[in-house]
Amino acid sequence: MSPVIEEHARARLITDGPLTRPVPVDLRYDAADDPRTVHITLPGGTDWAFGRDLLERGLRTPIERGAVRVWPCGRTQLIVELHSTDGVEVFQFEIRTLIRFLARTRAQAPATAAPADGTPEKRPSRTTPRPERGAQPARG
């Protein structure tokens, strides 16, 4: 049985008003439950579960899947927008917090786990030989 990874973090709740406020959130990952899923638990106990790859891709480019939208905000922030029947909640995270959490989940995840969207996870080969110096690409 693999251990559950939990990390307590702070996010900023973005509102229509001029001020944002920091809120505690919990990041959770349990490979035994589903190796492709991460959880963000918000104040009040609301738990959002979605694909780990959604957060990973959102670190680099805007992405949307279902009721969740994620996009980078500058070099140090990530925005997570959550849509529900109660409305929309927007949170701003420090990227380094999510990178650290995602790195821990990757280290714990089974090697055969595929992303939630069904596409195979691409991992660079560590055994790919380097081309000889001065070698030309193959022409076909």
Side-chain angles (χ1 to χ4, degrees):
M1 185 170 132
S2 60
V4 174
I5 296 171
E6 282 191 291
E7 191 163 321
H8 304 290
R10 291 193 92 49
R12 295 199 74 75
L13 177 62
I14 309 297
T15 65
D16 290 339
L19 300 175
T20 63
R21 65 182 173 106
V23 293
V25 297
D26 289 320
L27 306 171
R28 187 171 52 81
Y29 174 78
D30 184 354
D33 181 35
D34 184 349
R36 300 168 302 207
T37 302
V38 294
H39 295 260
I40 296 179
T41 304
L42 305 173
T46 304
D47 183 72
W48 284 81
F50 47 87
R52 182 178 66 196
D53 66 312
L54 184 68
L55 279 182
E56 290 173 335
R57 291 180 187 179
L59 291 169
R60 296 180 304 277
T61 186
I63 185 166
E64 176 180 355
R65 190 173 300 141
V68 180
R69 294 181 183 149
V70 181
W71 66 91
C73 180
R75 295 186 316 195
T76 62
Q77 305 293 320
L78 182 81
I79 304 296
V80 177
E81 183 178 294
L82 307 167
H83 293 252
S84 71
T85 55
D86 296 331
V88 177
E89 291 183 290
V90 180
F91 295 89
Q92 182 178 19
F93 287 87
E94 291 287 329
I95 283 180
R96 68 176 180 250
T97 301
L98 294 174
I99 289 173
R100 181 178 57 240
F101 172 72
L102 290 169
R104 292 177 64 201
T105 68
R106 278 192 303 276
Q108 190 64 43
T112 58
D117 65 359
T119 59
E121 192 169 345
K122 295 181 180 174
R123 296 179 187 245
S125 171
R126 295 179 185 239
T127 59
T128 304
R130 289 188 167 169
E132 293 293 321
R133 202 167 217 193
Q136 297 295 317
R139 297 180 192 218

